[in-house]
Amino acid sequence: MSLRKLRRLGLEPELVDRLERHKKLSSCQDILEKIHLELLHLTNLTHSDVQKIVMTASRACAPTPTTALQMRQAGFSSGSTPFLSTSLPGLDQALHGGIPAGSVTEIAGPAGCGKTQFCIMLSVLATLPCEMGGLGGAVVYIDTESAFSAERLVEVAQGRCPQHFCSDDAFYKLTSQVYVHKTPTCTDLWNRLQCLEEELIEKRVRLVILDSVASVVRKEFDNSLRGNLSQRVKLLSKEAALLKYLAESLNIPVVVTNQITTRFNTSREGPHHDVLSGDLGAGNSAAVDGGYVTAALGNTWSHSVNTRLIVQYLDDKYREVMVAKSPIAPFSSFVYTIQSSGIVLQDDETIRKWSERVATDPGLIPIKVRTMLGQGGGLVVP
Amino acid sequence: MLQEEREQGCIITFCSALDELLGGGVPLTKITEFCGAPGVGKTQMGMQLAIDVQIPSAFGGLGGEAVYIDTEGSFMVQRLEDMAKAAMEHCRHIATVENNREQLEAMANFTVEHILSRIHFYRVHDWVELVALVNILPEFLQQHPKVRLVVIDSIAFPFRHDFEDLSLRTRLLNGLAQNCIRLADSHKAAVVLVNQMTTKMGHSGDGQAHLVPALGESWGHASTIRVLLFWEAGCRYARLYKSPSREEATVPYQVTVAGIRDVCIPNNMQDLSTATKEEGDSLGEHSQRKRPRVS
């Protein structure tokens, strides 16, 4: 849209020719990035003529308005489900239906907590037909850590909906609808994302999973080197913008997974930050001297995702998923375990055992990690 | 000018603490900026204001329309619906309790469908679209003279990546700011900008990194009023950072199913109707302050 040529705007052709040839102004973006005085100087036209050109270019580039009411009615009538049900009833209820379509959802947590399991489970659910609560379409699974296992996919499918997946035929259909791409480096990932749009349309993809966005970036960018941090932030922002664009234009959910990082109160590691000094006292609510563990990739990335779910350990068997950031859901948490059928929410009894969690800054929620097993269930609670 | 300033309206919110902080509410003809860390409630604030601007004048509101410009994709109609329903019920409660005929009549036009139909939504994908849109907004506002609020959520996102040339970014932001000011003034509308935070390495001896509002130092001059939203000890706070007429202060608020509300003090929590009545009173007070009721 911004690269739309001036030619197409209906201005006088000889004016357009002159601008293009002599002044290198050929697209709308070129016009809109200059200030008024500059344009006056470059085009040698009168003030009102320049104004006219700017307004014509603006009208061509600006999006069309709709009202919130029309959006709601469009949602009702479009037939495409606005949410992907996660089949975890408590979580679905908190999120008003499930993982929202048209936006980017992030699952962050320590290693081994269940992020990839969650993604595999969502892949199975997305391929189910709409009547069964799925999206009835294909899934693109971009794997940066080589963690995807087709065997596990089949196992989860069998465990989750045994009636549906009862024949070899059904399994074949499932596995042929999940497209896995391995992208072990940043460049691979970026290239893959850029040519993703065609693939999504052609194969009728209804869910995109990126597992994980953090691992490639952290491998290749060393934060202690100058300039690397800003490059990393730029790359992540570009990826976020592209994923959001794909999510919105095709109205599909996009799920990314993230790792965790340690933050110290006295910043020995440069990029990890403290809130505006003077606002908080000696530390943040749950921090102990040393630091605390929180979602990786920094502050800008946290702004870029629309919904954030954080998973963490409670003890060796039980884990917890928290809705940390969502435009539609309040802070809530659910206890689960990982079984052969995937993620299974635990009932209220178990939940009551664990203390009430108070809502707090989603960037600073302390996340429990698992220490060595067999030591009486020792957990590092930072 | 004094007279104009006195008569100039504000967008009242349902959170009396916030209204106090801002001297009546979000003021018209000025740019107000809300900045804060991810997840603190900036989008919620924008959506709440888009509903609050529509509160009928019988209740002390502006009875206007809103333009919502979304650059991030966080806008969800379902959430807006929840907030609109809560706002409507709140007003209906006041109207019934006070048995005020004018208010009851106004409720006919303050249903969820009406509220949603008066929010004009634009989805903007990059800075070129944003610049273009702000250029043509004056035309749109002339065709829709009842618009009293323009929300840009967020102004930071399109400018934070893909910008090799920082001076271009500064120029564009300045141009945008000027256009917004002109818009706010000529159409008597409030412009609300939502900004993100960025990490800044401290220059002082401790070398600590701080979170500061994004888009740089020069952007700080663009908005007339700056409110910083942050978390502390499990509660959300709003701090007035910059304002020409009010002094710096910090107030707590919370985000509930109904939207942005005051934090209830414990002894009011048992009786929900008391709490509602208190808020209702504060709304009533506002209406008395603004227009002396002709009895």
Side-chain angles (χ1 to χ4, degrees):
Chain A
M1 190 97 64
S2 45
L3 298 177
R4 189 181 289 206
K5 299 293 179 195
L6 290 179
R7 246 166 230 296
R8 304 263 203 91
L9 293 183
L11 298 168
E12 293 94 18
E14 42 137 76
L15 171 64
V16 176
D17 275 336
R18 185 157 59 96
L19 290 176
E20 205 169 301
R21 219 173 318 128
H22 298 293
K23 309 295 177 185
K24 312 271 189 301
L25 296 173
S26 61
S27 72
C28 288
Q29 180 167 338
D30 295 332
I31 293 283
L32 290 174
E33 66 182 22
K34 310 250 180 292
I35 56 176
H36 198 78
L37 278 181
E38 242 181 301
L39 284 175
L40 275 179
H41 179 76
L42 281 176
T43 61
N44 262 330
L45 296 171
T46 64
H47 169 85
S48 57
D49 281 341
V50 166
Q51 194 63 0
K52 207 175 72 143
I53 298 182
V54 168
M55 290 307 281
T56 321
S58 300
R59 257 175 242 127
C61 294
T64 44
T66 169
T67 64
L69 186 63
Q70 288 167 348
M71 286 169 75
R72 185 175 84 149
Q73 284 162 345
F76 287 160
S77 61
S78 75
S80 66
T81 30
F83 294 101
L84 166 60
S85 155
T86 59
S87 78
L88 306 169
L91 187 59
D92 278 349
Q93 202 185 25
L95 292 175
H96 280 236
I99 310 276
S103 72
V104 175
T105 305
E106 180 196 39
I107 305 179
C113 209
K115 311 187 289 293
T116 306
Q117 299 303 309
F118 213 102
C119 293
I120 293 185
M121 195 179 74
L122 288 175
S123 312
V124 171
L125 293 173
T127 57
L128 292 178
C130 291
E131 310 83 59
M132 292 183 63
L135 297 176
V139 176
V140 164
Y141 195 110
I142 305 180
D143 187 0
T144 61
E145 296 177 322
S146 296
F148 185 83
S149 149
E151 290 261 0
R152 180 66 178 137
L153 182 73
V154 165
E155 196 187 348
V156 169
Q158 214 160 21
R160 205 103 215 159
C161 338
Q163 330 86 325
H164 184 81
F165 291 106
C166 50
S167 66
D168 275 345
D169 219 18
F171 286 124
Y172 179 72
K173 210 159 148 263
L174 164 68
T175 46
S176 62
Q177 283 199 302
V178 177
Y179 299 94
V180 179
H181 298 293
K182 293 204 198 280
T183 55
T185 67
C186 278
T187 2
D188 281 342
L189 177 59
W190 181 241
N191 292 339
R192 170 64 56 188
L193 285 179
Q194 284 188 305
C195 56
L196 201 53
E197 191 174 359
E198 269 177 43
E199 190 184 343
L200 297 187
I201 301 178
E202 200 184 303
K203 297 182 179 155
R204 283 186 225 257
V205 174
R206 307 295 310 153
L207 170 67
V208 174
I209 297 184
L210 173 50
D211 176 19
S212 72
V213 66
S215 62
V216 273
V217 161
R218 295 173 101 192
K219 269 190 294 196
E220 296 187 18
F221 289 90
D222 182 356
N223 276 352
S224 57
L225 294 180
R226 268 176 164 277
N228 259 14
L229 178 60
S230 59
Q231 279 208 357
R232 185 176 101 155
V233 169
K234 273 210 187 79
L235 174 64
L236 286 176
S237 301
K238 283 201 306 208
E239 286 178 10
L242 183 48
L243 287 171
K244 278 197 195 182
Y245 166 70
L246 290 174
E248 278 175 28
S249 53
L250 300 166
N251 202 23
I252 55 177
V254 171
V255 176
V256 299
T257 57
N258 192 5
Q259 297 170 347
I260 52 167
T261 182
T262 320
R263 246 165 231 182
F264 296 94
N265 280 337
T266 63
S267 99
R268 285 178 350 198
E269 308 187 12
H272 305 305
H273 51 261
D274 208 345
V275 190
L276 225 44
S277 65
D279 288 353
L280 300 183
N284 309 300
S285 47
V288 171
D289 48 328
Y292 51 98
V293 165
T294 164
L297 297 184
N299 173 58
T300 312
W301 173 257
S302 301
H303 277 299
S304 305
V305 300
N306 298 112
T307 311
R308 173 173 269 177
L309 303 174
I310 297 189
V311 292
Q312 68 164 353
Y313 289 97
L314 292 172
D315 70 12
D316 282 346
K317 181 164 160 227
Y318 294 107
R319 297 104 192 271
E320 189 183 25
V321 57
M322 304 182 273
V323 178
K325 172 184 173 186
S326 162
I328 204 174
F331 183 86
S332 40
S333 66
F334 305 93
V335 181
Y336 69 92
T337 55
I338 301 187
Q339 298 173 9
S340 68
S341 60
I343 310 263
V344 174
L345 274 192
Q346 298 305 110
D347 53 29
D348 292 323
E349 294 298 313
T350 345
I351 295 176
R352 252 181 287 252
K353 259 172 46 183
W354 307 102
S355 50
E356 261 288 318
R357 185 162 322 276
V358 167
T360 179
D361 186 341
L364 298 174
I365 289 176
I367 304 176
K368 298 199 192 72
V369 297
R370 182 152 70 174
T371 54
M372 296 203 294
L373 303 170
Q375 281 196 342
L379 264 191
V380 172
V381 179
Chain B
M1 245 184 94
L2 182 59
Q3 207 177 11
E4 266 179 27
E5 268 184 32
R6 288 237 179 91
E7 286 174 15
Q8 160 194 307
C10 297
I11 303 179
I12 54 177
T13 66
F14 283 101
C15 178
S16 52
L18 265 181
D19 287 345
E20 262 305 303
L21 184 73
L22 296 168
V26 172
L28 297 183
T29 75
K30 297 208 165 48
I31 300 186
T32 307
E33 181 182 327
F34 287 95
C35 38
V40 76
K42 310 184 289 294
T43 304
Q44 305 298 310
M45 189 72 77
M47 294 204 272
Q48 180 73 67
L49 289 172
I51 296 176
D52 292 340
V53 72
Q54 302 185 36
I55 297 176
S57 46
F59 295 93
L62 295 173
E65 300 183 357
V67 167
Y68 196 102
I69 303 176
D70 183 10
T71 64
E72 293 190 331
S74 298
F75 186 83
M76 288 205 181
V77 191
Q78 293 86 353
R79 177 63 176 140
L80 198 62
E81 235 183 287
D82 284 345
M83 292 167 105
K85 207 185 298 178
M88 179 199 71
E89 278 165 8
H90 188 118
C91 287
R92 176 183 295 151
H93 180 96
I94 299 177
T96 332
V97 157
E98 293 197 10
N99 213 358
N100 179 322
R101 195 175 53 114
E102 211 182 320
Q103 290 178 346
L104 287 168
E105 281 171 5
M107 286 310 295
N109 256 345
F110 198 59
T111 64
V112 173
E113 280 80 24
H114 279 111
I115 298 178
L116 292 184
S117 70
R118 289 194 282 250
I119 300 182
H120 305 277
F121 179 79
Y122 287 90
R123 175 71 171 101
V124 161
H125 292 99
D126 57 31
W127 65 263
V128 180
E129 286 189 19
L130 183 59
V131 170
L133 180 55
V134 175
N135 279 342
I136 65 168
L137 261 186
E139 277 176 14
F140 185 84
L141 292 199
Q142 271 184 332
Q143 292 161 357
H144 296 84
K146 286 180 122 211
V147 170
R148 284 277 160 302
L149 170 69
V150 175
V151 178
I152 303 185
D153 176 19
S154 64
I155 187 102
F157 189 66
F159 289 101
R160 292 188 83 185
H161 59 97
D162 249 2
F163 259 97
E164 299 305 332
D165 184 357
L166 274 190
S167 61
L168 171 63
R169 186 176 97 159
T170 316
R171 272 208 318 270
L172 289 174
L173 283 173
N174 281 340
L176 263 183
Q178 280 191 344
N179 281 341
C180 287
I181 294 180
R182 212 178 302 151
L183 198 70
D185 205 34
S186 57
H187 293 270
K188 299 244 179 318
V191 174
V192 169
L193 304 178
V194 170
N195 196 4
Q196 296 175 349
M197 302 293 268
T198 186
T199 318
K200 185 172 167 157
M201 305 308 296
H203 294 298
S204 48
D206 60 0
Q208 265 206 340
H210 302 299
L211 270 188
V212 296
L215 297 181
E217 286 292 334
S218 46
W219 176 251
H221 301 295
S223 50
T224 323
I225 298 172
R226 233 177 188 188
V227 178
L228 182 68
L229 304 175
F230 62 97
W231 284 99
E232 185 170 326
C235 186
R236 289 175 156 108
Y237 288 91
R239 163 176 298 166
L240 190 64
Y241 208 65
K242 171 184 173 187
S243 162
S245 55
R246 307 282 301 173
E247 61 170 315
E248 272 195 35
T250 307
V251 296
Y253 70 97
Q254 60 174 341
V255 180
T256 65
V257 163
I260 308 265
R261 295 289 185 273
D262 280 310
V263 173
C264 288
I265 27 183
N267 57 1
N268 274 357
M269 242 152 67
Q270 281 96 16
D271 194 0
L272 182 60
S273 56
T274 322
T276 326
K277 184 153 191 297
E278 272 208 354
E279 286 180 26
D281 280 346
S282 77
L283 263 188
E285 267 171 39
H286 274 292
S287 67
Q288 265 154 24
R289 225 184 294 155
K290 293 281 163 3
R291 318 168 311 132
R293 197 109 15 136
V294 179
S295 46

